[in-house]
Amino acid sequence: MEPLPSTDAVIDIRDLYTRYGTAAVHQGVSLAVRPGEVFALVGGSGCGKSTLLRAIIMLLRPESGSIRVFGQETIGLSDEEALPLRRRWGVMFERGALFSSLTVAENVAMVLREHTQLSQQLIDEVVALKIALTGLPADAGAKYPSELSGGMRKRAALARAIALDPELLFLDEPTAGLDPLSASGIDELVGNLRDALGLTIMMVTHDLDLLWRAADRVAVLDGGHILGVGTMMELSEAEHPVIREYFYGPRGRAAREQAWKKK
Amino acid sequence: MAAEKIVQSMAEIDAADGAVRCSGAWTVRGIARLEQRLPAFPWPAGNDLVIDCSAISSFDTSGAWVLHRTVRLLERQGRNVQTRGLRPEFGALLQLVAARATTSRPAAAAAPGVLAGIGHWAWHGMHGLFDMLAFVGESAVALLRSVLQPHRIRWRPILRNLQTAGFEALPITGLLSFLMGIVIAYQGADQLQRFGANIFIADLVGLSMLRELAPLLTAIIVAGRSGSAYAAQIGTMKVTEEIDALRTIGIGTQELLVLPKMIALIIALPLLTVYCDVTGLLGGMLMARSKLDVSFDVFINRLGDAISLSSFLTGVAKAPVFAAIIALVGCFQGLQVSGSADSVGRQTTVSVVQSIFLVIVADALFSVVFNWLKI
């Protein structure tokens, strides 16, 4: 893993320290996400994966270190300065975070109405297209989030995240809480979106199947440090005991065998 | 250079020598101006049309959609359209968009007629009334069960509710009732002075505060303070499925959530009312001395003659009824929440409006009954 020059990397994190109250979450985390790759962040519960994601999308201010996205330093940016950057990425939250008072179509349209000058008719058409792209049926657009199943809600959240055709997409636990069928639908969707839209995707996940099927590179986070970065193949041969435990636990082995069979 | 950059960030389309040429950024941000120009675009005549896309510098789903839509529109006019020169990755995107394109937009539900609207409204109103009645019945049964089996009463939440709804409401209710006493004495002072009946200020303030204003004022403040809190708390618990969780664990919502609130409020509201009686009289006394020269001891002496025990008791006796109304309406509206954050806000508003309305209606009924009983 040779370090990339910061201008090439879409996300470039250097020596990041984060703190939640008195507990140190990250102690010197460095990462680089390359353009066009599906990058996954894994680790046990409470290891700070989601915190790292929140730090990158500027919902949380780290203590020290540097986070550069598209070559621009994000730490210390005001909301106004961050706006152009925020328009270039989409975020899908773990529980969807759809606006419950709006229908799915209105949720997606809101982003377009806020940030573009498209006509109402074109917005409606683009919204219908985005909803279709995430694999939702056409009638889902008129429904409220509370009327959708968990899997449909995730897809709707994804439709909102890709509303502006972002260059970078953050997915927080895209398959958590889904049945295997919906989850493998999401696996496929992530791959398809990357191929079709040329996105860079950074995701936080526990899902080993998703990692084997969709992730180009994976970083393992534990105890505030990055233990290893690499493809799933490379990581599954790593020596570090925590990584081995992660990938060679009973579920890890099953997912690995599945992936082998596919290849 | 600057001009070139502007062109680059916008989608462009020109027709020259019978060929159409697309260029620039066909993206969600660059497409807006082009979209306005497209309907009036002078397409070259002739049946065969070639659209040259080699100069498109960036392309996203919105741009692809506009291109796809335009081509389809032209084809529907009977032309033969060919797109040429699109970069392979852009071509793949165009194909994806074409494959997923949906023409069927969900039709907006037709607005119901006036008559249907009235019907719906009446139907919902009637259902709401039945639900409310059922809820009151359930609560009464739960209350009865608790009284018969006192060990099942949950004292800890009752005490906590006593603190939040009763003790912590002391400053605000006290202050408002004190001010209300001042206002009544001030309004009465002029009239009484005209007849030289200064001393009757004690009758005026005493009777109106004790019989009517203190119980009503306290109930309205508590409805706004605690009734809304009950609705919001239970409503949020409904949204996060905590109510369902309680049910599966086998703990009745009535027993855990409704009864402690109701019992605490039934204890707290009469006490608050007595407290407001006192602060209201204090306010009246203060005003009587400064405006009518009725000293404190004269005022208090007169109070003893003017106010019978029954006047005091009729006021305090209303409080538990008001308390039950506020707690029941708050909890009931909380349980009516469905799904969204929006609904929590709506039901909370409804709970406050409804409980204040019902408190005033109940107060009017009390007046009728007391008049009838000649108390």
Side-chain angles (χ1 to χ4, degrees):
Chain A
M1 286 297 92
E2 70 281 18
L4 286 151
S6 61
T7 45
D8 278 8
V10 176
I11 303 172
D12 186 29
I13 302 171
R14 296 275 165 93
D15 218 21
L16 189 77
Y17 284 78
T18 322
R19 191 170 268 293
Y20 241 154
T22 52
V25 183
H26 303 119
Q27 302 169 34
V29 167
S30 297
L31 270 183
V33 178
R34 300 165 182 163
E37 74 176 348
V38 177
F39 188 90
L41 200 58
V42 304
S45 290
C47 72
K49 307 181 298 283
S50 292
T51 309
L52 186 58
L53 191 71
R54 288 174 70 84
I56 300 172
I57 58 180
M58 293 190 266
L59 292 177
L60 186 135
R61 202 188 165 114
E63 220 176 26
S64 68
S66 132
I67 302 176
R68 301 174 82 85
V69 182
F70 302 119
Q72 192 185 352
E73 179 64 54
T74 64
I75 297 176
L77 280 188
S78 69
D79 272 352
E80 228 160 275
E81 293 164 326
L83 192 61
L85 213 52
R86 285 196 164 129
R87 282 190 208 173
R88 292 175 70 183
W89 72 49
V91 184
M92 178 184 137
F93 288 91
E94 186 177 345
R95 270 172 291 181
L98 292 163
F99 304 117
S100 56
S101 54
L102 303 177
T103 63
V104 170
E106 286 165 348
N107 260 285
V108 182
M110 187 183 136
V111 185
L112 288 166
R113 211 168 291 140
E114 194 66 27
H115 291 305
T116 67
Q117 281 92 47
L118 302 183
S119 70
Q120 187 58 46
Q121 193 203 348
L122 185 59
I123 286 181
D124 288 345
E125 288 167 1
V126 170
V127 166
L129 179 67
K130 302 278 162 165
I131 289 174
L133 272 178
T134 54
L136 282 173
D139 63 344
K143 287 187 178 155
Y144 284 92
S146 55
E147 299 168 338
L148 298 180
S149 68
M152 288 170 87
R153 219 172 294 168
K154 293 236 166 172
R155 284 168 188 265
L158 194 58
R160 189 179 67 183
I162 61 168
L164 282 178
D165 277 283
E167 296 156 64
L168 175 60
L169 190 61
F170 293 99
L171 308 175
D172 192 359
E173 301 280 7
T175 55
L178 295 188
D179 64 282
L181 213 60
S182 305
S184 63
I186 295 271
D187 295 354
E188 244 168 76
L189 196 58
V190 169
N192 283 347
L193 283 177
R194 193 265 310 264
D195 295 340
L197 308 179
L199 289 169
T200 306
I201 295 176
M202 175 161 186
M203 60 184 177
V204 165
T205 184
H206 285 295
D207 185 345
L208 285 153
D209 288 307
L210 177 64
L211 289 173
W212 277 109
R213 290 175 60 173
D216 295 322
R217 285 197 311 143
V218 178
V220 183
L221 193 63
D222 187 73
H225 303 278
I226 297 281
L227 295 184
V229 183
T231 63
M232 283 300 277
M233 287 305 291
E234 286 165 6
L235 282 179
S236 63
E237 276 145 30
E239 296 292 315
H240 197 288
V242 175
I243 301 181
R244 289 194 73 79
E245 203 182 329
Y246 199 89
F247 291 105
Y248 284 90
R251 302 181 63 122
R253 206 170 303 143
R256 187 160 181 260
E257 274 158 19
Q258 272 256 302
W260 271 108
K261 267 185 222 154
K262 288 240 165 70
K263 284 176 189 172
Chain B
M1 185 71 195
E4 197 182 10
K5 203 149 193 191
I6 289 167
V7 171
Q8 283 299 307
S9 66
M10 286 290 182
E12 287 296 336
I13 187 164
D14 343 81
D17 308 329
V20 178
R21 195 169 157 278
C22 300
S23 60
W26 282 60
T27 61
V28 68
R29 270 180 271 285
I31 207 84
R33 221 180 54 189
L34 176 88
E35 189 215 343
Q36 288 163 10
R37 276 180 48 206
L38 264 181
F41 187 73
W43 296 104
N47 249 350
D48 291 315
L49 192 66
V50 173
I51 301 181
D52 177 18
C53 302
S54 55
I56 291 181
S57 58
S58 49
F59 202 54
D60 68 7
T61 43
S62 304
W65 170 255
V66 172
L67 186 61
H68 171 74
R69 188 177 78 170
T70 310
V71 169
R72 231 179 28 185
L73 194 74
L74 290 169
E75 279 173 349
R76 222 176 293 142
Q77 290 168 2
R79 294 175 194 242
N80 198 358
V81 187
Q82 263 196 326
T83 49
R84 207 173 53 192
L86 202 62
R87 283 195 227 162
E89 66 267 30
F90 294 168
L93 183 58
L94 185 63
Q95 265 172 12
L96 178 78
V97 167
R100 294 295 178 98
T102 45
T103 44
S104 62
R105 232 180 305 153
V114 178
L115 208 63
I118 294 175
H120 265 283
W121 178 78
W123 180 253
H124 277 291
M126 205 174 70
H127 260 270
L129 205 66
F130 278 133
D131 287 348
M132 177 84 195
L133 237 103
F135 181 77
V136 171
E138 277 170 45
S139 306
V141 170
L143 186 64
L144 205 69
R145 208 182 299 139
S146 304
V147 171
L148 293 179
Q149 299 170 292
H151 65 274
R152 289 183 63 131
I153 297 178
R154 290 162 197 268
W155 291 106
R156 195 179 285 267
I158 291 181
L159 289 175
R160 227 195 45 211
N161 276 306
L162 262 178
Q163 161 147 19
T164 53
F167 181 72
E168 286 169 17
L170 282 178
I172 182 74
T173 49
L175 176 67
L176 288 182
S177 149
F178 179 77
L179 294 176
M180 193 54 89
I182 287 182
V183 169
I184 292 171
Y186 179 74
Q187 291 299 330
D190 267 351
Q191 309 295 327
L192 292 172
Q193 217 161 18
R194 202 175 298 164
F195 299 105
N198 291 13
I199 186 66
F200 287 106
I201 191 74
D203 297 54
L204 175 68
V205 175
L207 281 176
S208 56
M209 276 321 285
L210 263 56
R211 287 189 72 114
E212 285 298 332
L213 287 172
L216 203 58
L217 191 76
T218 322
I220 288 173
I221 294 168
V222 169
R225 241 185 123 259
S226 304
S228 59
Y230 296 164
Q233 183 213 346
I234 294 180
T236 311
M237 286 178 78
K238 189 99 191 276
V239 172
T240 53
E241 296 180 326
E242 284 172 61
I243 301 280
D244 297 342
L246 276 180
R247 209 164 282 161
T248 56
I249 296 169
I251 302 173
T253 38
Q254 295 281 347
E255 206 176 303
L256 187 74
L257 293 173
V258 180
L259 277 192
K261 292 182 170 60
M262 193 161 82
I263 293 173
L265 216 54
I266 286 177
I267 297 171
L269 206 60
L271 295 176
L272 277 177
T273 304
V274 174
Y275 168 71
C276 285
D277 285 345
V278 174
T279 53
L281 286 176
L282 274 177
M285 254 162 74
L286 211 66
M287 203 63 203
R289 191 172 74 166
S290 69
K291 198 108 202 295
L292 295 173
D293 294 322
V294 177
S295 67
F296 288 169
D297 48 341
V298 174
F299 188 98
I300 290 171
N301 269 334
R302 176 64 206 163
L303 213 55
D305 298 335
I307 296 167
S308 59
L309 182 64
S310 71
S311 299
F312 168 71
L313 287 180
T314 48
V316 175
K318 293 174 188 175
V321 177
F322 294 168
I325 290 175
I326 294 166
L328 285 175
V329 169
C331 295
F332 174 70
Q333 291 301 341
L335 287 169
Q336 296 304 104
V337 164
S338 60
S340 65
D342 223 26
S343 164
V344 176
R346 199 166 45 237
Q347 289 327 113
T348 307
T349 312
V350 170
S351 88
V352 174
V353 173
Q354 222 171 57
S355 52
I356 291 178
F357 172 77
L358 288 176
V359 160
I360 293 176
V361 168
D363 193 43
L365 286 180
F366 269 119
S367 296
V368 172
V369 172
F370 289 155
N371 184 40
W372 185 51
L373 293 175
K374 301 205 166 52
I375 299 177

